[in-house]
């Protein structure tokens, strides 16, 4: 039994089998999750390490639910759902936890109140859990003033993220203890059941239909338009759902590609996406798949109503002709279904790129050289382009097609492409021994060359 921390007036140790009202979905789901966080060592260490709270193998994690703090504002009714205490030797790290399930979303007023509560009680962080997705635990679905997070860190885990972490730890063999493995499996099974209230992002926001209709009518999109902001936020959640799904499929972490400024400040990422939507009428992003030949570039072209996935790889420098370089690429794509797959050739100098259906290149590999005689491509883009038509504007169909195409592209292209690398240099036959390149040997060689030049 965990001792009640000094900062609390009341609270309950997290239970694997909580005795709570049937109406208390959030309390029941959080209690089971926190109990597994506490008792499945590698799971707890991994989840907290992603927040920067590193825990050694001897660290102790204690968790509580239904907590009431001594320093609290009774009239505001501040009752966070849980508390995590991490003890690493003499170091102690603490976090308030607020959980939402189903369609319940986090609110600024509540989280801002919990940040103030944490600050007054010397708590290090506030962690939120909900069905809202974010690309990193350091990003938050709410726009919270930076002044409130100077002394108290704010983190977010989506329930989908929790499920993915559990799946990866199980598949990678990271849970060695049999009982802990069973606990983590049962947590995942529980979270996947509809009764838990956990629901993955499955449709774009209502603003998606409105933006698509505006663009179809020829109207421009302002970066200050609230609909554009909602669409950008929905695009980010769709990408986060997609990377989580791919992670479970391949058994390794797939991540959204971001520049450093966007990683540090999610508001900059949103602003960049809105700007792209306003100027290009397109949504763009990249994802990083472990050990893949290149990042995957993703685009949703609203006027054309297409989704595209692509990878750019360098052409092999040890092959001199266009056909030889293309043959190297086609060999890697031999098992790919050609429907909707294209290859774009990047040529040297100011020569514009050319693009061909994969099926045409298989039947006529001489085609690119005929269009650009005397030139050889320096890189290839392998692209999957799918025209969705009316399905593009349908909120649920758009997300389901995004997930399906991501899996299809990785299976057809991503898992088969390997980046070209130059072969290591060889030692020539006349320099096989160290003595052949000694100063004496080199001097004799120079003398012979000088005699040959003088005609002696």
């Amino acid at each position: 039994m965990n001792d009640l921390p000094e900062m609390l007036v009341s609270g309950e140790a997290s239970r694997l089998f909580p005795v709570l009202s049937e109406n208390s979905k959030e309390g029941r789901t959080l209690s089971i999750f926190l109990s597994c966080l506490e008792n499945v060592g590698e799971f707890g260490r991994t989840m907290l390490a992603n927040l920067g709270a590193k825990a050694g193998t001897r660290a102790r994690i204690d968790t509580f639910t239904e907590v009431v703090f001594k320093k609290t504002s009774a009239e505001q009714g501040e009752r966070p759902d849980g508390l995590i205490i991490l003890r690493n030797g003499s170091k102690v790290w603490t976090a308030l936890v607020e959980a939402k399930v189903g369609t319940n979303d986090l609110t600024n007023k509540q989280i801002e109140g919990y940040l103030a509560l944490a600050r007054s009680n010397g708590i290090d962080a506030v962690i939120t859990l909900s069905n809202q997705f974010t690309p990193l635990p350091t990003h938050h679905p709410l726009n919270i003033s930076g002044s409130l997070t100077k002394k108290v860190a704010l983190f977010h885990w989506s329930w989908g993220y929790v499920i993915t972490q559990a799946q990866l730890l199980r598949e990678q063999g990271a849970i060695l203890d049999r009982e802990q493995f069973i606990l983590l499996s049962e947590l995942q099974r529980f979270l996947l059941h509809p009764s838990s209230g956990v629901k993955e992002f499955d449709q774009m926001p209502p603003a998606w239909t409105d933006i698509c209709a505006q663009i179809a009518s020829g109207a421009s999109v302002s970066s200050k338009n609230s609909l554009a902001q909602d669409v950008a936020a929905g695009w980010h959640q769709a990408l986060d759902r997609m990377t989580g799904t791919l992670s479970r499929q391949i058994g390794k972490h797939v991540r959204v590609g971001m520049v450093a400024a966007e990683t540090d400040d999610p508001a900059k990422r949103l602003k960049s996406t809105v700007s792209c939507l306003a100027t290009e009428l397109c949504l763009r992003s990249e994802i990083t798949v472990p050990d893949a030949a290149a990042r995957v570039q993703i685009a949703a072209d609203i006027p054309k109503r297409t989704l595209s996935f692509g990878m750019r790889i360098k052409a092999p420098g040890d092959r001199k002709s266009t056909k030889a370089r293309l043959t190297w690429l086609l060999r890697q794509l031999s098992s790919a279904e050609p429907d909707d797959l294209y290859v774009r050739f990047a040529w040297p100098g100011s020569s514009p790129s050319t693009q061909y259906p994969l099926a045409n290149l298989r039947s006529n590999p001489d085609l690119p050289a005929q269009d650009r005689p005397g030139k050889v491509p320096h890189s290839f883009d392998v692209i999957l382009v799918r025209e969705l038509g009316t399905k593009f504007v349908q909120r649920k169909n758009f997300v389901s097609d995004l997930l399906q195409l991501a899996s299809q592209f990785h299976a057809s292209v991503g898992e088969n492409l390997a980046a070209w690398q130059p072969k290591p240099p060889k030692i020539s036959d006349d320099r096989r021994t160290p003595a052949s390149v000694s100063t004496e040997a080199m001097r004799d060689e120079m003398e012979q060359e000088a005699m040959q030049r003088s005609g002696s």
Side-chain angles (χ1 to χ4, degrees), residues 70-136:
K70 291 180 178 178
K71 296 180 180 180
T72 187
S73 175
E75 61 273 11
Q76 293 185 13
E78 293 170 336
R79 292 284 299 271
D81 293 323
L83 174 68
I84 299 172
I85 301 177
L86 169 63
R87 293 182 174 88
N88 250 329
S90 60
K91 296 182 178 180
V92 179
W93 182 87
T94 53
L96 297 184
V97 182
E98 176 62 21
K100 301 290 185 184
V101 298
T103 57
N104 296 332
D105 285 339
L106 303 162
T107 65
N108 280 62
K109 181 179 179 181
Q110 187 178 44
I111 301 310
E112 288 168 0
Y114 289 156
L115 287 167
L117 178 65
R119 186 170 61 251
S120 63
N121 284 276
I123 304 295
D124 297 296
V126 171
I127 303 171
T128 58
L129 289 112
S130 76
N131 288 324
Q132 296 158 280
F133 281 74
T134 58
L136 299 170

Side-chain angles (χ1 to χ4, degrees), residues 96-404:
L96 297 184
V97 182
E98 176 62 21
K100 301 290 185 184
V101 298
T103 57
N104 296 332
D105 285 339
L106 303 162
T107 65
N108 280 62
K109 181 179 179 181
Q110 187 178 44
I111 301 310
E112 288 168 0
Y114 289 156
L115 287 167
L117 178 65
R119 186 170 61 251
S120 63
N121 284 276
I123 304 295
D124 297 296
V126 171
I127 303 171
T128 58
L129 289 112
S130 76
N131 288 324
Q132 296 158 280
F133 281 74
T134 58
L136 299 170
T138 51
H139 287 197
H140 202 273
L142 300 180
N143 186 15
I144 301 293
S145 171
S147 63
L148 298 176
T149 57
K150 286 183 178 179
K151 293 185 178 180
V152 180
L154 179 61
F155 302 108
H156 179 75
W157 290 325
S158 71
W159 289 114
Y161 176 82
V162 173
I163 292 170
T164 298
Q165 295 301 310
Q167 177 75 11
L168 293 178
L169 287 172
R170 290 172 60 246
E171 288 193 350
Q172 293 168 1
I175 312 298
L176 302 179
D177 182 90
R178 180 177 179 273
E179 285 73 22
Q180 292 188 19
F181 184 89
I182 292 173
L183 279 180
L184 192 59
S185 299
E186 288 301 305
L187 170 66
Q188 191 177 9
R189 180 171 176 266
F190 168 73
L191 292 177
L192 291 169
H193 194 276
S195 66
S196 69
V198 171
K199 184 175 182 293
E200 293 201 290
F201 183 84
D202 64 353
Q203 63 179 333
M204 294 292 281
W208 174 247
T209 305
D210 296 332
I211 284 289
C212 289
Q214 285 184 20
I215 293 173
S217 68
S220 61
V221 176
S222 169
S223 59
K224 297 181 180 180
N225 188 334
S226 62
L227 294 178
Q229 303 273 344
D230 290 346
V231 165
W235 172 247
H236 289 173
Q237 290 217 54
L239 290 172
D240 299 335
R241 164 82 190 278
M242 184 192 72
T243 54
T245 301
L246 273 178
S247 296
R248 296 173 208 166
Q249 287 182 292
I250 69 174
K252 291 186 177 182
H253 285 285
V254 178
R255 305 184 188 279
V256 176
M258 290 180 282
V259 298
E262 294 175 348
T263 302
D264 297 336
D265 186 356
K268 290 184 178 178
R269 181 186 177 216
L270 184 66
K271 183 178 180 180
S272 176
T273 300
V274 171
S275 176
C276 181
L277 176 59
T279 57
E280 300 182 41
L281 304 182
C282 187
L283 296 166
R284 298 185 186 278
S285 190
E286 292 183 335
I287 61 172
T288 301
V289 180
D291 305 320
R295 280 186 170 188
V296 180
Q297 300 169 341
I298 306 167
D301 191 311
I302 297 177
K304 295 180 180 178
R305 297 187 175 184
T306 61
L307 274 173
S308 64
F309 290 75
M311 292 176 69
R312 173 171 293 182
I313 58 172
K314 186 178 180 180
D318 58 351
R319 290 163 174 80
K320 303 306 180 184
S321 69
T322 295
K323 184 176 182 179
R325 293 186 176 188
L326 174 59
T327 300
W328 170 85
L329 178 67
L330 293 178
R331 191 177 297 118
Q332 297 188 58
L333 299 173
S334 59
S335 62
E337 291 293 332
D339 293 346
D340 302 327
L341 277 178
Y342 300 82
V343 179
R344 183 180 300 150
F345 292 67
W347 305 94
S350 58
S351 203
S353 60
T354 55
Q355 181 173 305
Y356 310 89
L358 177 62
N360 291 9
L361 293 173
R362 283 176 174 173
S363 61
N364 184 9
D366 294 314
L367 184 60
Q370 293 170 0
D371 290 342
R372 292 289 186 273
K375 295 181 180 293
V376 290
H378 57 73
S379 64
F380 302 108
D381 288 283
V382 183
I383 310 165
L384 171 64
V385 182
R386 179 67 51 82
E387 295 183 7
L388 300 181
T390 57
K391 291 176 64 179
F392 186 90
V393 304
Q394 296 168 3
R395 294 159 57 197
K396 279 198 171 185
N397 281 328
F398 179 84
V399 174
S400 63
D401 281 332
L402 181 72
L403 301 180
Q404 182 61 39

